[in-house]
Amino acid sequence: MRVYNFSAGPSILPIEVLEEAQRDLLDFNGSGMSITEMSHRTKTFMAVNDEANALLRELLNIPEEYAVLFVQGGASQQFAAVPLNLMTTGEADYLVTGNFASKAQEEGLKYGKANIVASSKDKNYTYIPNLDNLEFSKNASYVHLTSNNTIFGTRFTKLPKTSAPIVADMSSNILSEKINVKDYGLIYAGAQKNIAPAGVTIVIVRRDLLGKQMPICPTMLNYEIQAKNDSLYNTPPCFSIYMAMLVFRHLKKLGGIEEIQKINEYKASLLYDFIDNSDFYTNKVNKVDRSIMNVPFVTTSEELDAKFIKEATANGLVSLKGHRLAGGMRASIYNAMPVDGVKALIEFMKKFELENK
Ligand SMILES: *Cc1c(COP(=O)(O)O)cnc(C)c1O
């Protein structure tokens, strides 16, 4: 039986995509083998690689002056790849709005000055700092931020004003809402939240930032080399790229990012409205900074939180346990979570409240 899976990552995939992958598994496009069994130099795989790239460009309206790379190592590898490629002045600014943002800044310190220009650690990352009075370093090569904070359930609704290129970790909100790629120097995202199975990591980078990497930059992390080789410098994560292609086709069929954004905003508003109108459940995040992808909440006690998670699981609503740094519950309602999944969660929350208040 399929469950409603609220996992933060790896996470739910569209059922239509899983079924298509199942149909393709023994014989992809008449090749007599699966996509995971063939050389990445075959015409068949290269067509998949090209289509995935082209569809992502179309969905996000990525201008020609940006390269789209499919790399490995997850978003965490980008914490190092970004400074190795872009920290040309030996210095960069970081906005620390969560655990991953903090890890990115700490990794940056290995390669130069990684300045913290804002942090919301004082209130356990439950808000986004005021962006209007930030003091950026004159010498910063880039400004790094995490556009959606997966663990704490916050997101940036606007960007800071800075002349340095903005580098954004969009692992948990890429393709969930419209963005203007030109506002960024570089965007990166691990696939396993909103795109595909773990394996591929997306990098979208303005081409004029390429080719300035530090001499110690490993070949595999060198964006310019990856761009020149269409991300096929070595064996790519073929299955993850193929699944990404299927998900991109699926999003396009749904009407693109504008349509999926409407659905995402609707799902999030259903859940937040219910929580706000209840005196049993609480979301501790500053309202204007709320994520539309990850919704943390608590009941009135830790004992009831534990009971909630247990009973929800028994009712087919799984992976609702919050991250250990945030506690309580967290419902990740990525693109692939149907509206019916959110409604089922709310119905369960109502019932649990009645029984335990
Ligand atoms: C999950 C996540 C990461 C870590 O991703 P990996 O692919 O496991 O390295 C980094 N940043 C954000 C915002 C995430 O949600």
Side-chain angles (χ1 to χ4, degrees):
M1 190 197 81
R2 292 282 294 172
V3 292
Y4 285 123
N5 170 14
F6 294 91
S7 171
S11 41
I12 185 170
L13 288 163
I15 186 80
E16 298 87 344
V17 166
L18 290 171
E19 283 168 348
E20 183 159 6
Q22 187 179 41
R23 284 194 295 275
D24 279 354
L25 194 61
L26 298 185
D27 179 7
F28 178 69
N29 270 3
S31 63
M33 62 180 100
S34 76
I35 192 79
T36 64
E37 296 170 292
M38 67 182 68
S39 164
H40 55 292
R41 308 284 175 203
T42 54
K43 270 195 185 131
T44 310
F45 179 76
M46 289 212 271
V48 168
N49 198 53
D50 290 346
E51 185 178 339
N53 196 305
L55 282 171
L56 183 64
R57 286 187 168 279
E58 189 181 335
L59 286 166
L60 287 177
N61 202 9
I62 301 173
E64 197 33 54
E65 66 257 35
Y66 286 75
V68 172
L69 314 177
F70 296 153
V71 298
Q72 301 197 60
S76 303
Q77 182 70 284
Q78 294 307 308
F79 299 166
V82 165
L84 281 161
N85 282 275
L86 304 190
M87 203 191 265
T88 51
T89 61
E91 193 173 344
D93 288 347
Y94 283 76
L95 278 66
V96 177
T97 55
N99 192 46
F100 292 117
S102 174
K103 285 184 169 168
Q105 185 267 337
E106 282 170 13
E107 195 74 10
L109 282 174
K110 294 185 179 173
Y111 304 104
K113 275 180 78 185
N115 311 306
I116 299 178
V117 290
S119 167
S120 50
K121 194 173 181 199
D122 58 338
K123 292 185 184 158
N124 202 28
Y125 301 122
T126 49
Y127 68 102
I128 299 293
N130 183 355
L131 302 177
D132 295 330
N133 52 12
L134 296 182
E135 283 192 32
F136 294 105
S137 320
K138 279 197 193 72
N139 214 14
S141 315
Y142 58 85
V143 173
H144 181 282
L145 58 86
T146 311
S147 55
N148 184 78
N149 295 280
T150 325
I151 296 175
F152 303 95
T154 64
R155 69 162 166 163
F156 283 79
T157 50
K158 58 179 183 174
L159 292 173
K161 286 196 175 54
T162 154
S163 52
I166 292 178
V167 173
D169 176 357
M170 287 195 190
S171 292
S172 51
N173 71 333
I174 191 165
L175 296 165
S176 69
E177 58 185 326
K178 268 190 93 162
I179 55 162
N180 183 2
V181 172
K182 284 194 174 177
D183 291 341
Y184 303 87
L186 186 145
I187 293 166
Y188 64 89
Q192 72 274 20
K193 311 284 167 61
N194 223 3
I195 300 180
V200 69
T201 302
I202 309 284
V203 176
I204 302 164
V205 55
R206 220 171 62 210
R207 294 186 202 271
D208 66 309
L209 299 173
L210 298 178
K212 297 171 186 165
Q213 65 282 344
M214 296 180 187
I216 58 159
C217 181
T219 307
M220 279 298 295
L221 300 190
N222 182 326
Y223 295 140
E224 191 184 37
I225 288 181
Q226 293 290 359
K228 276 189 182 148
N229 288 278
D230 292 328
S231 308
L232 295 174
Y233 177 80
N234 74 332
T235 315
C238 305
F239 186 69
S240 184
I241 292 171
Y242 155 77
M243 290 292 283
M245 177 195 75
L246 294 185
V247 168
F248 297 157
R249 279 186 190 164
H250 176 73
L251 285 176
K252 187 177 168 182
K253 218 168 85 187
L254 285 179
I257 304 302
E258 244 164 74
E259 287 311 306
I260 197 76
Q261 176 171 352
K262 280 184 208 156
I263 300 169
N264 287 333
E265 284 169 351
Y266 176 61
K267 287 186 299 190
S269 70
L270 284 180
L271 190 49
Y272 284 121
D273 286 349
F274 172 72
I275 292 171
D276 289 344
N277 288 317
S278 144
D279 49 17
F280 184 74
Y281 299 103
T282 315
N283 165 273
K284 293 177 187 164
V285 170
N286 194 18
K287 273 192 188 172
V288 294
D289 301 324
R290 283 172 163 176
S291 167
I292 59 169
M293 293 280 99
N294 311 95
V295 183
F297 60 95
V298 291
T299 66
T300 50
S301 74
E302 281 182 22
E303 292 70 39
L304 282 177
D305 289 351
K307 190 174 178 212
F308 180 98
I309 292 157
K310 201 169 154 221
E311 291 184 12
T313 307
N315 281 274
L317 305 163
V318 312
S319 301
L320 281 162
K321 192 170 172 8
H323 191 279
R324 69 194 147 77
L325 295 174
M329 280 73 73
R330 168 179 49 176
S332 294
I333 49 175
Y334 296 122
N335 283 353
M337 174 58 67
V339 172
D340 281 349
V342 175
K343 288 185 174 165
L345 172 63
I346 293 171
E347 284 314 305
F348 174 79
M349 289 169 78
K350 282 183 190 161
K351 185 168 151 279
F352 187 84
E353 177 174 348
L354 277 177
E355 289 167 1
N356 293 279
K357 216 168 170 174

